[in-house]
Amino acid sequence: MFSWVEKISKNIKDLSGSVDKYKSDSIIQSLPSVAYVNKAKKLINEKRIDEAEAVLLKALDISVQDARIYKFLGKIYEQKLKFDDAANYYKQSANLLPQDKEIWLRLGMSQLGANLLNDALISFEKADKVCPFNTDVFTGWGMALMKLKKYALARDKFVTASKISKYNFTAILLSAVMEIKLNDYESAEMKLSFLAKVAPNEGSLYEYAHLKLLKSDYDAAIKYAKKTLEVNKQMFPAYIILGEVYSILKDIKNTEKTFNKAMECGLDDSLLHFEWGKAYVRFFEFEKAKEQFLIACEQKEDYIDAKIGLALINSYNEDFNLLNELEERHGDNVYIQESIGLKLMSQDKIEDAVERFKKALRIDDKQTYNYYNLVKCYMTLGDNYKIREYFDKFILANSEYVQGFIDYAKWLISVNDFEDAHRKLRRAEKVTNTNLDVLNLMFFTSYTLVKNNICEYNIKEAISIAQKAQDLGRFDFENEKLELENILKNIQGSN
């Protein structure tokens, strides 16, 4: 989630401003190490980093007690992103000249980059004593706490940093990120809506899209994820958000388009394929999901999340070997709960399976195939009230899934509720008017209802449904159609 934040530590500005222009090799000729430092400063300013490093290393041959030599070596290694080395040099400089107003900040940022987080906390605390209430110090301090997952403390530091400087948009952004982690969505909303207007960069736009996803404001999530990609088409997490939102909205066309676009941008990654697999699970495209989970496992050895996805797909095929390997350590995962439910169903432990499927829905209510799993459980238990309840929930959540309507209609027919079955089939017909199962069942329910209440118009409508099914290639009720045609002739003859 915080991959884009890694760039921020490189952009925290130096307290002393830009590197001074080189004026002379030495201000005090009796201190030759000063000449080397000044020369190195000029080279750093000219981006000739390797040459500057060589000069400073020569300066160490003259003096090992000059704090500035270590400080500028630290700057060089920080620019090279060699944070361990930078921290070591900054530490030596700080020991020699601890009152330097910049050194503790730079040391803290390097320790942050080197993941020496507890050391970084100490350095930022010292930086605050040497240079109190500096916005960059509090920003770095917050970042160290954030990496330590001390989100409330981190938020406080970021808030302080933004109070010191209202233009510290990084601190405002990171305080909003912490508020998201702390489930304080309203405070995060205020900050991110502000940043989306005044500082609409890839970080602020992405985090706003992420917040909108968490708040189930899917249109806004799509809007800001797309804006993120307008700023930076390589912003990988934005594709993940778009793919997730489109799959939640059951928009398979845009889901596949999003993930394929990420691939075209060179963002082929195990996480991409895992999320793609999750999206296919939401569409009940289990074989396609399996393909993506397998790719994810090939790209990242021992990818647990992808293996859990495979365990779910295998469980739908009554292969529970992978589930048995994973369930003890990952029992709180929604896929594992669903898989355990399927395993219990296969063992005829239906009431236990019901509890697992309900728990899966409590973990993630968007994992809606569990409604259908509950339907199957209650069919075994013979609870018609619960069957109807969970069928209704299933088709409400999956209004484009035609098979759900077909299965519901078949059950309604089995309990002689032909009117409701016909209504469900009408809804399915609005999704697709060429599905032969839908058309055949529509005819059969129409035929049954017409037999109970003969009406010329309804007979003609039922016959037209039969004719459409015949034209499309399969019709299963020729005798019933002939019976209706004879009834129609008799009605018309009597007129």
Side-chain angles (χ1 to χ4, degrees):
M1 174 181 171
F2 300 124
S3 60
W4 61 269
V5 177
E6 299 296 334
K7 302 176 185 176
I8 293 174
S9 63
K10 306 169 199 172
N11 297 322
I12 299 293
K13 65 179 183 294
D14 294 345
L15 292 180
S16 60
S18 61
V19 177
D20 295 332
K21 292 184 178 180
Y22 174 71
K23 295 181 180 179
S24 64
D25 280 349
S26 176
I27 297 172
I28 305 174
Q29 296 300 323
S30 61
L31 297 176
S33 64
V34 175
Y36 284 96
V37 172
N38 287 336
K39 184 174 183 180
K41 287 168 64 177
K42 178 183 179 182
L43 292 169
I44 291 171
N45 200 39
E46 294 173 353
K47 309 298 183 185
R48 295 157 66 182
I49 304 300
D50 291 335
E51 293 176 57
E53 180 184 359
V55 169
L56 290 168
L57 291 174
K58 287 181 181 179
L60 284 178
D61 293 335
I62 299 171
S63 173
V64 293
Q65 296 298 315
D66 189 333
R68 293 166 299 172
I69 298 174
Y70 297 108
K71 178 178 178 178
F72 282 99
L73 280 168
K75 288 180 180 288
I76 286 170
Y77 282 103
E78 191 176 6
Q79 288 186 36
K80 289 184 175 183
L81 306 184
K82 295 181 179 180
F83 297 115
D84 284 297
D85 293 329
N88 287 333
Y89 282 118
Y90 283 138
K91 183 66 174 175
Q92 293 181 72
S93 181
N95 289 337
L96 291 167
L97 191 63
Q99 67 271 27
D100 185 327
K101 290 188 176 182
E102 179 187 22
I103 194 64
W104 294 107
L105 170 61
R106 299 271 38 101
L107 176 57
M109 295 307 297
S110 295
Q111 289 167 331
L112 181 62
N115 215 35
L116 302 170
L117 302 179
N118 289 314
D119 291 338
L121 293 180
I122 295 170
S123 296
F124 290 124
E125 186 174 1
K126 289 183 177 180
D128 185 45
K129 291 178 180 178
V130 174
C131 185
F133 296 104
N134 178 273
T135 189
D136 294 325
V137 168
F138 277 89
T139 301
W141 205 342
M143 290 171 70
L145 289 164
M146 178 179 74
K147 281 194 168 187
L148 287 166
K149 298 185 178 181
K150 297 180 179 181
Y151 301 129
L153 292 173
R155 188 259 314 273
D156 292 343
K157 299 300 181 188
F158 294 135
V159 168
T160 300
S162 62
K163 286 180 179 177
I164 294 168
S165 172
K166 64 181 181 181
Y167 299 108
N168 188 340
F169 297 142
T170 295
I172 297 171
L173 173 58
L174 292 177
S175 63
V177 172
M178 294 303 93
E179 286 163 351
I180 291 172
K181 299 293 285 186
L182 295 167
N183 297 318
D184 187 356
Y185 292 167
E186 294 313 308
S187 293
E189 173 81 30
M190 287 170 43
K191 292 180 175 67
L192 291 172
S193 63
F194 166 73
L195 290 174
K197 295 174 184 175
V198 303
N201 57 41
E202 63 186 62
S204 60
L205 292 170
Y206 164 73
E207 291 298 344
Y208 204 14
H210 179 228
L211 176 63
K212 292 298 186 181
L213 169 59
L214 293 173
K215 295 177 72 173
S216 300
D217 186 350
Y218 299 126
D219 289 340
I222 291 170
K223 173 184 175 181
Y224 287 103
K226 286 183 173 180
K227 282 180 174 289
T228 304
L229 294 173
E230 289 172 7
V231 175
N232 180 7
K233 70 177 182 179
Q234 298 297 116
M235 188 63 170
F236 178 77
Y239 291 102
I240 300 301
I241 283 183
L242 277 177
E244 181 173 357
V245 171
Y246 283 131
S247 65
I248 290 171
L249 295 175
K250 307 299 182 183
D251 185 344
I252 192 168
K253 180 179 178 181
N254 276 315
T255 299
E256 292 179 328
K257 181 180 177 182
T258 296
F259 289 123
N260 280 315
K261 181 65 176 177
M263 293 283 286
E264 291 170 8
C265 291
L267 299 174
D268 189 356
D269 183 86
S270 57
L271 176 60
L272 179 76
H273 291 286
F274 170 65
E275 293 292 337
W276 205 337
K278 282 175 60 180
Y280 277 133
V281 168
R282 292 192 184 99
F283 293 115
F284 320 135
E285 295 275 5
F286 295 127
E287 288 306 310
K288 289 183 179 180
K290 184 175 183 177
E291 291 175 13
Q292 295 299 327
F293 290 144
L294 285 171
I295 293 171
C297 287
E298 289 171 4
Q299 292 185 344
K300 181 179 178 181
E301 188 177 356
D302 201 26
Y303 191 174
I304 294 300
D305 287 340
K307 288 181 71 175
I308 289 171
L310 284 173
L312 175 63
I313 305 304
N314 291 347
S315 295
Y316 274 106
N317 293 318
E318 297 193 357
D319 175 0
F320 304 108
N321 291 324
L322 193 52
L323 170 64
N324 295 336
E325 174 188 330
L326 297 169
E327 64 177 304
E328 184 176 347
R329 294 185 61 186
H330 305 283
D332 290 334
N333 183 282
V334 63
Y335 285 178
I336 294 296
Q337 286 299 315
E338 188 170 338
S339 300
I340 293 172
L342 293 168
K343 181 180 177 181
L344 291 167
M345 277 182 65
S346 73
Q347 298 169 343
D348 292 324
K349 299 177 181 178
I350 305 303
E351 291 182 352
D352 291 336
V354 165
E355 292 307 311
R356 294 292 183 166
F357 294 135
K358 287 183 177 180
K359 183 175 180 180
L361 283 164
R362 288 195 296 272
I363 295 171
D364 182 359
D365 62 1
K366 297 178 184 63
Q367 194 62 13
T368 56
Y369 205 76
N370 287 300
Y371 290 130
Y372 187 69
N373 289 329
L374 285 166
V375 165
K376 290 189 283 186
C377 286
Y378 284 117
M379 282 182 174
T380 302
L381 295 172
D383 189 335
N384 287 356
Y385 178 82
K386 289 293 185 181
I387 293 170
R388 192 182 293 268
E389 176 187 347
Y390 284 104
F391 254 136
D392 283 338
K393 289 182 176 180
F394 182 67
I395 64 172
L396 178 64
N398 301 282
S399 59
E400 301 295 311
Y401 186 61
V402 173
Q403 190 60 46
F405 290 99
I406 292 172
D407 292 341
Y408 196 177
K410 286 180 178 179
W411 177 77
L412 288 166
I413 289 169
S414 74
V415 295
N416 296 317
D417 191 346
F418 292 96
E419 289 187 4
D420 201 13
H422 194 71
R423 285 193 290 269
K424 299 300 183 289
L425 292 165
R426 281 294 188 195
R427 289 178 61 183
E429 188 189 26
K430 291 179 180 178
V431 179
T432 172
N433 60 5
T434 59
N435 185 292
L436 287 169
D437 288 333
V438 171
L439 291 171
N440 276 278
L441 288 172
M442 279 185 65
F443 171 80
F444 182 70
T445 55
S446 297
Y447 162 80
T448 305
L449 293 169
V450 164
K451 287 291 297 292
N452 294 330
N453 184 18
I454 292 175
C455 166
E456 182 176 353
Y457 175 82
N458 290 339
I459 293 173
K460 288 180 178 179
E461 184 179 30
I463 292 172
S464 70
I465 295 169
Q467 188 61 53
K468 185 172 184 179
Q470 284 179 321
D471 293 342
L472 289 171
R474 195 194 92 223
F475 181 61
D476 302 331
F477 301 97
E478 287 291 348
N479 291 335
E480 288 81 359
K481 178 191 174 190
L482 181 60
E483 183 181 351
L484 290 183
E485 288 174 339
N486 289 332
I487 292 173
L488 182 61
K489 288 179 183 177
N490 291 334
I491 291 172
Q492 291 174 338
S494 64
N495 291 337

